[in-house]
Amino acid sequence: MTVNGPVDADEMGVTLIHEHILVDFIGADSISEIQWNNGEVERVALPYLRQLKGLGCQTFIECTPSYLGRDPLLLKALSHSTGLNILTNTGYYGAGDNKFIPRFAFDETADQIADRWSEEWTNGIEGSGVKPGFIKIGVGTENLSEFHKKLVTAAARTHLKTGLTIVSHTGLSTPAFEQLEILHAEGVAPEAFVWTHAQNEKDLNTHVKAARLGAWISLDGINDDNYEDYFKMINNLKENKLLNRVLLSHDAGWYHPGEKDGGNFRGYSALFEKLIPLLRKEKFTENEIHQLLVVNPAEAFTVRVRKIN
Ligand SMILES: [Zn+2]
């Protein structure tokens, strides 16, 4: 489900599964679209998106959550001017000590929160008519707090109503496996869960363990300096015959409201210019690269309910 409506999963093509156009870290109490001018953001972001299109990318999954600068109309305009498929999301981001959580969410039940997210799927986001293409949540780095358990439960219930994939800012393995346990208790299969920022976990056996359960391992912080580390993580999963569970991206961008010209904008090219050439040099086949960039994203982001059998 793109910002312009549904496309067939096999039309997604080369896909970056975790990037940003704009992020505002001001916090849920203060955030307002008055802080940025869409024309100005478009002017800054367009050259990077055009470069990306030139590198062969066709689908761009924008992971900025609500209360952090999610802006469906901005994404729609950029999709229009670049021809890229762009996806946005529903959900709340609990990482960062809940600074990005709207106050009412602390008092509401998991079902009430799930209803709010499902409503965006049914009727579109904030009157824009744009539907979310996935659920984005975020949790802390240690054991899940009660509030974060509630967010994960809400995500599971939203998944069962909508079929949207759950992308969770997670990092380390402890919260990753605790989330998979909650999903299990709710009847949601691990195939519906993207372990986001899995590169932060240094015990690579945990990648293998989660991938064997069926979860997606999102290695999503690729840049010009660290791509050799990514090769090692990808190769570890390949050696365990789990290349079909790997998702790759840069977590790059983005326009910073309040900073001159949007501040430092990181481009989206290292995967294409550094990592893929290294994979080829290390004897990854074209089929394997196609799996990583095309097949896996299409499989992960197809809207369908994934229940435990
Ligand atoms: Zn991100």
Side-chain angles (χ1 to χ4, degrees):
M1 178 59 73
T2 77
V3 294
N4 289 313
V7 299
D8 281 344
D10 56 15
E11 285 172 22
M12 285 169 67
V14 171
T15 298
L16 290 181
I17 55 91
H18 189 122
E19 307 293 345
H20 299 276
I21 297 290
L22 177 145
V23 188
D24 189 340
F25 288 105
I26 195 166
D29 289 341
S30 316
I31 195 154
S32 157
E33 287 176 21
I34 294 163
Q35 313 278 0
W36 61 88
N37 170 302
N38 280 9
E40 161 78 0
V41 181
E42 286 171 43
R43 183 187 64 74
V44 171
L46 262 176
Y48 297 99
L49 292 174
R50 294 215 165 103
Q51 177 195 27
L52 183 55
K53 193 96 195 300
L55 291 165
C57 180
Q58 288 159 267
T59 300
F60 181 99
I61 300 191
E62 217 275 355
C63 285
T64 302
S66 57
Y67 301 96
L68 273 151
R70 178 189 63 168
D71 188 333
L73 294 179
L74 169 67
L75 301 183
K76 218 174 147 82
L78 284 167
S79 176
H80 182 75
S81 39
T82 60
L84 284 164
N85 298 314
I86 302 182
L87 279 66
T88 187
N89 63 85
T90 189
Y92 301 148
Y93 180 90
D97 288 330
N98 301 322
K99 187 183 173 195
F100 310 105
I101 298 289
R103 285 192 187 189
F104 59 79
F106 295 109
D107 299 324
E108 290 189 348
T109 64
D111 280 327
Q112 286 173 309
I113 293 171
D115 284 346
R116 287 180 183 273
W117 299 347
S118 302
E119 205 269 336
E120 292 196 327
W121 169 250
T122 309
N123 296 322
I125 297 167
E126 296 158 357
S128 66
V130 172
K131 294 188 175 193
F134 60 103
I135 302 160
K136 173 79 188 282
I137 58 172
V139 299
T141 52
E142 304 291 333
N143 297 89
L144 296 179
S145 66
E146 288 307 312
F147 177 67
H148 290 173
K149 287 179 187 170
K150 185 167 82 178
L151 287 184
V152 178
T153 304
R157 292 177 187 174
T158 306
H159 171 77
L160 293 174
K161 285 187 202 171
T162 63
L164 293 175
T165 301
I166 301 165
V167 173
S168 179
H169 170 107
T170 296
L172 301 181
S173 59
T174 299
F177 287 105
E178 287 187 13
Q179 289 176 91
L180 287 167
E181 273 176 36
I182 292 172
L183 297 189
H184 187 87
E186 294 288 326
V188 175
E191 285 78 2
F193 181 76
V194 178
W195 174 2
T196 297
H197 310 322
Q199 68 273 8
N200 293 353
E201 174 57 64
K202 295 308 165 204
D203 178 359
L204 299 190
N205 292 322
T206 64
H207 290 173
V208 172
K209 191 178 156 201
R212 283 208 178 115
L213 290 173
W216 295 99
I217 311 302
S218 182
L219 305 172
D220 50 36
I222 297 163
N223 64 41
D224 285 343
D225 300 319
N226 66 13
Y227 64 95
E228 288 168 326
D229 300 332
Y230 279 76
F231 166 71
K232 287 179 198 146
M233 292 186 275
I234 298 163
N235 202 43
N236 172 55
L237 287 155
K238 178 182 165 174
E239 284 171 352
N240 285 283
K241 303 206 176 348
L242 290 165
L243 223 43
N244 63 334
R245 306 317 300 164
V246 181
L247 298 170
L248 301 176
S249 216
H250 304 94
D251 198 10
W254 53 76
Y255 188 95
H256 303 63
E259 294 185 25
K260 189 176 182 312
D261 296 326
N264 177 36
F265 201 110
R266 284 179 293 123
Y268 316 102
S269 62
L271 187 151
F272 302 97
E273 292 176 345
K274 298 286 168 62
L275 180 64
I276 299 301
L278 178 60
L279 293 178
R280 289 197 172 110
K281 185 166 152 261
E282 297 287 351
K283 311 282 187 251
F284 273 58
T285 65
E286 292 310 309
N287 267 346
E288 287 167 339
I289 291 166
H290 183 77
Q291 168 124 45
L292 291 167
L293 300 187
V294 178
V295 177
N296 291 354
E299 168 84 12
F301 287 88
T302 295
V303 181
R304 64 182 175 92
V305 175
R306 282 145 277 181
K307 281 187 196 163
I308 291 169
N309 301 318

